[in-house]
Amino acid sequence: MSDINESFGLAVRRRRVDLGLSQEELADEAGLHRTYISLIERGLRSASIETIIKLAKALRTTGSQLLQNVEGQIDGQ
Amino acid sequence: MSDINESFGLAVRRRRVDLGLSQEELADEAGLHRTYISLIERGLRSASIETIIKLAKALRTTGSQLLQNVEGQIDGQ
């Protein structure tokens, strides 16, 4: 199941980079620690629904949109 | 942030009841413990992205659809 965490991490990283945010800026906006953002982006932590929604708000998107990206990647596996 | 867990639990419970599944049947299909399903449905646990996607598959929906229900409920707070 780690594919899910990797896909989610990639979706977060892409959106963050698209917005021109550093990991530190995203961490500040989401109220999370920069180290935790780094672990999430590398698929090394499984985000909780609360974390997903905090990240989505800071990334000016929605949790459901982030999950759609993940589901697009894991479909067909 | 517990509103999020409560909303997610409610979305899971509604979908499960709509499908005519017991908590035990959902647990079996999702590969989770029945007690854990009960805790999730009552908003007493924060589901991880992996759990969200397991539950969504067993509920014949998607994680993004479940999160849309949650976001519909927490919007405006």
Side-chain angles (χ1 to χ4, degrees):
Chain A
M1 299 287 282
S2 72
D3 286 339
I4 291 173
N5 293 332
E6 285 177 24
S7 296
F8 180 73
L10 200 60
V12 168
R13 183 185 297 258
R14 280 188 184 144
R15 178 75 184 159
R16 175 178 63 75
V17 171
D18 281 351
L19 291 172
L21 295 173
S22 67
Q23 287 186 337
E24 191 149 14
E25 288 166 330
L26 173 56
D28 283 349
E29 290 205 34
L32 299 167
H33 198 282
R34 193 198 63 77
T35 306
Y36 187 59
I37 302 285
S38 170
L39 290 165
I40 290 280
E41 287 193 357
R42 285 180 288 150
L44 299 175
R45 287 292 180 283
S46 192
S48 71
I49 186 167
E50 291 177 341
T51 299
I52 294 168
I53 288 181
K54 281 182 191 175
L55 284 170
K57 280 187 186 167
L59 291 169
R60 292 143 214 168
T61 182
T62 60
S64 50
Q65 186 59 57
L66 286 177
L67 279 211
Q68 270 184 36
N69 296 341
V70 172
E71 287 159 351
Q73 286 183 53
I74 61 178
D75 271 0
Q77 286 186 2
Chain B
M1 298 289 282
S2 71
D3 287 338
I4 290 174
N5 294 331
E6 285 177 23
S7 297
F8 181 74
L10 200 60
V12 168
R13 183 185 298 259
R14 281 187 182 145
R15 178 75 185 162
R16 174 178 63 75
V17 171
D18 282 351
L19 291 172
L21 295 173
S22 66
Q23 286 186 339
E24 192 148 11
E25 288 167 330
L26 173 56
D28 283 349
E29 290 205 33
L32 299 166
H33 198 281
R34 194 199 62 77
T35 306
Y36 187 59
I37 301 286
S38 170
L39 290 165
I40 290 280
E41 287 193 357
R42 287 181 287 148
L44 299 175
R45 287 292 179 282
S46 193
S48 71
I49 187 168
E50 291 177 342
T51 298
I52 293 168
I53 288 181
K54 282 182 190 175
L55 285 170
K57 281 187 184 166
L59 292 169
R60 292 145 215 167
T61 183
T62 59
S64 50
Q65 186 60 57
L66 286 177
L67 279 211
Q68 269 184 36
N69 296 342
V70 172
E71 287 159 351
Q73 286 184 53
I74 61 178
D75 270 0
Q77 286 186 4

